[in-house]
Amino acid sequence: MQYTVPHYYKKFHCLAKDCPATCCAGWQIQIDPASLRRYALAKGPLGSRLKNEIVWSEKRFRQYGGRCAFLNEDNLCDLYLEGGGEKAFCRTCRTYPRHIEEFEGLREISLSLSCPAAAELILGCREPVRFLHAENPRKNETYPEFDFLLFTKLADARSLMIDILQNREHSIKVRMAAVLSLAHDLQERIDRNALFDADSLFERYSSPRLWTWFSDRLRLLGKKAAKSGQNTRRDETLGSLFVILNQMEVLQPDWKAYLRESRAALWEAEAASPEADPDLQVQEDSFREIFTDITAEQLMIYFIFTYFCGAVYSRNAYGKMKFSFAGTVLIRELARARFLLSLKKSAADGANRTPVQKIPGECPAESPEKCPVLLTDAACRYAREVEHSDFNKYKMEKLLGNETKFSLENLFSLL
Ligand code: SF4
């Protein structure tokens, strides 16, 4: 069995009682069969508590006010404290925030963006992500239906996408447009069972001409938008992405309100004209110091590494890419909304600075090793809602398949 992890994987440390968003509240914790059997046999006071605090018919821990029954007032886990540490955990608690994707003979393990400590590692990483490999020859398995040819092409495409995304000589807009388009073209070959043609596609996307071609294409689109005086295509596509978020199963009770408030802040900013408010460009420049090209690169790679090769089961490589692209854009926009709201609040509070000045402690330029709080918060919230519900992931991928709303050009307009 082979294992792949991102290089920052081992740096992860749980924040425990200092965590701003404990993983033991806000969602149901399902218990695996082996742990359930162990809990059923537990003796003494902890055994009695387990008997009472598990909903046995649903194989999950009971919750009070949205918090796990074992999460104490100090935000620490009583099961961990009284049960002898990590060995008392069920598989979900032992694994989180690690996310495991399973392929024949391969486990790809990432850290989930929904955990603030993991988000800090992912978004705070300035260097290009590397992937580390290990092997355990004693563990082996076979998947009878596994499509090895497709998996190999997906893995090759993903390596190329990561190379493109990490080429910092070019703007992130061009890099994102190129990988989106690569997935689009690969899907076309998957659909017509022409995987033999994938290598020539990869060659084309490895050529230096790639950069001028996508730069020109984006420039042309930008010109068209400028000519019409407004970026309707962008506004409509972004609106459609938010509509998808609105159609999802809700996991955290405050998610809808958070979404409403964020959308309203973005709408207000969209409606303002740059002539009427000259601060807008300065605000945008300040936001770009928070959500940098490197942030977008790390997010795209996080999503692509985690999900892209899962297309071996669904044969929907373009859907996985659209999911990654949409996640990156939506996290950017949620962070932008929080940025705008914080400017508004400091202006309303009469803070001794103009709205376009930096917010102390929230700008990476002031604390280069730390990620801005509003950014990690937006990423964690998004990941908790979307990535922790199979229904939501499936629905988002399906709705993004609408080629009228989410065509390549429409998605390019979001860059
Ligand atoms: S969300 Fe992450 S940092 Fe917070 S308690 Fe859970 S594992 Fe620890």
Side-chain angles (χ1 to χ4, degrees):
M1 175 80 70
Q2 300 197 335
Y3 299 87
T4 306
V5 295
H7 77 268
Y8 50 72
Y9 179 78
K10 285 215 166 150
K11 288 190 194 163
F12 171 75
H13 287 292
C14 173
L15 300 172
K17 67 179 175 37
D18 297 323
C19 178
T22 173
C23 49
C24 311
W27 49 36
Q28 306 283 1
I29 299 172
Q30 293 294 328
I31 308 170
D32 57 289
S35 304
L36 208 59
R37 280 195 296 277
R38 195 155 38 85
Y39 294 154
L41 295 172
K43 301 266 183 284
L46 186 60
S48 314
R49 201 171 153 197
L50 278 162
K51 287 199 178 55
N52 292 328
E53 304 294 22
I54 288 174
V55 185
W56 295 90
S57 57
E58 294 173 26
K59 301 178 184 164
R60 63 172 176 85
F61 291 110
R62 212 172 276 288
Q63 287 198 320
Y64 298 103
R67 291 165 62 88
C68 173
F70 285 92
L71 184 64
N72 67 26
E73 284 175 0
D74 297 323
N75 267 357
L76 292 171
C77 173
D78 282 343
L79 195 54
Y80 180 95
L81 297 173
E82 294 165 28
E86 218 170 276
K87 69 178 190 319
F89 281 163
C90 66
R91 193 164 61 202
T92 308
C93 298
R94 210 169 30 243
T95 308
Y96 187 82
R98 292 153 197 95
H99 173 93
I100 305 171
E101 286 287 316
E102 301 187 356
F103 307 104
E104 187 178 288
L106 174 66
R107 296 289 178 272
E108 293 192 334
I109 311 170
S110 50
L111 294 175
S112 173
L113 203 53
S114 59
C115 158
E120 176 76 42
L121 283 174
I122 296 162
L123 299 170
C125 179
R126 295 284 178 260
E127 60 188 306
V129 182
R130 288 169 281 113
F131 292 95
L132 311 178
H133 308 282
E135 191 168 3
N136 181 350
R138 275 172 300 163
K139 276 196 171 182
N140 245 326
E141 63 186 3
T142 45
Y143 284 29
E145 306 273 303
F146 196 75
D147 186 340
F148 240 110
L149 176 63
L150 176 57
F151 182 74
T152 310
K153 297 303 168 196
L154 290 168
D156 289 350
R158 187 179 62 176
S159 298
L160 178 54
M161 285 164 182
I162 291 173
D163 285 349
I164 292 173
L165 285 167
Q166 290 183 334
N167 189 335
R168 295 182 180 176
E169 283 176 21
H170 303 277
S171 86
I172 191 67
K173 293 181 183 198
V174 177
R175 290 182 257 161
M176 284 172 71
V179 295
L180 194 60
S181 185
L182 169 54
H184 171 275
D185 294 354
L186 178 65
Q187 186 63 49
E188 194 254 324
R189 281 149 181 85
I190 294 173
D191 291 344
R192 60 179 172 89
N193 282 325
L195 280 179
F196 57 84
D197 198 21
D199 290 344
S200 62
L201 177 73
F202 300 155
E203 247 172 62
R204 192 144 52 82
Y205 275 84
S206 306
S207 149
R209 284 200 303 275
L210 172 87
W211 304 109
T212 34
W213 200 86
F214 279 102
S215 302
D216 290 349
R217 201 163 163 192
L218 290 185
R219 202 172 309 120
L220 209 66
L221 276 176
K223 265 190 192 166
K224 264 198 220 164
K227 218 172 177 182
S228 67
Q230 50 183 333
N231 206 342
T232 321
R233 189 197 283 265
R234 178 194 182 278
D235 296 347
E236 283 177 4
T237 311
L238 187 59
S240 301
L241 281 185
F242 272 92
V243 169
I244 294 185
L245 286 187
N246 261 326
Q247 293 178 10
M248 293 194 163
E249 153 186 52
V250 174
L251 271 69
Q252 309 285 318
D254 61 347
W255 170 245
K256 280 276 177 184
Y258 176 85
L259 213 51
R260 259 197 313 275
E261 203 185 23
S262 303
R263 193 68 195 100
L266 293 170
W267 258 323
E268 200 182 311
E270 274 163 26
S273 88
E275 293 79 40
D277 188 351
D279 276 348
L280 282 181
Q281 188 52 51
V282 191
Q283 277 181 15
E284 183 55 25
D285 292 345
S286 294
F287 179 65
R288 281 204 195 131
E289 286 186 42
I290 292 175
F291 193 99
T292 63
D293 279 10
I294 295 180
T295 316
E297 172 192 314
Q298 303 298 23
L299 276 173
M300 282 294 285
I301 290 175
Y302 163 79
F303 282 118
I304 289 172
F305 173 69
T306 308
Y307 298 108
F308 187 75
C309 286
V312 71
Y313 302 114
S314 63
R315 299 183 66 83
N316 188 6
Y318 190 36
K320 300 287 177 206
M321 172 54 78
K322 279 183 165 182
F323 180 84
S324 306
F325 184 91
T328 304
V329 168
L330 281 166
I331 290 171
R332 182 190 72 195
E333 293 309 311
L334 291 173
R336 188 198 304 281
R338 298 340 274 184
F339 171 71
L340 293 168
L341 287 164
S342 61
L343 291 180
K344 213 168 161 185
K345 185 172 181 305
S346 54
D349 288 349
N352 201 12
R353 58 174 190 259
T354 65
V356 293
Q357 282 177 305
K358 291 167 188 164
I359 304 162
E362 290 198 331
C363 176
E366 289 170 16
S367 52
E369 76 292 351
K370 269 202 82 65
C371 202
V373 177
L374 62 82
L375 179 56
T376 44
D377 183 57
C380 287
R381 280 174 177 272
Y382 177 87
R384 280 180 177 229
E385 286 302 314
V386 178
E387 291 189 74
H388 286 276
S389 156
D390 287 339
F391 174 82
N392 285 349
K393 280 189 285 191
Y394 171 77
K395 186 147 192 176
M396 179 171 251
E397 203 174 302
K398 189 160 182 264
L399 294 174
L400 284 169
N402 181 330
E403 275 297 308
T404 311
K405 287 183 179 159
F406 304 110
S407 65
L408 259 186
E409 299 238 317
N410 286 351
L411 293 175
F412 284 173
S413 71
L414 297 171
L415 289 168

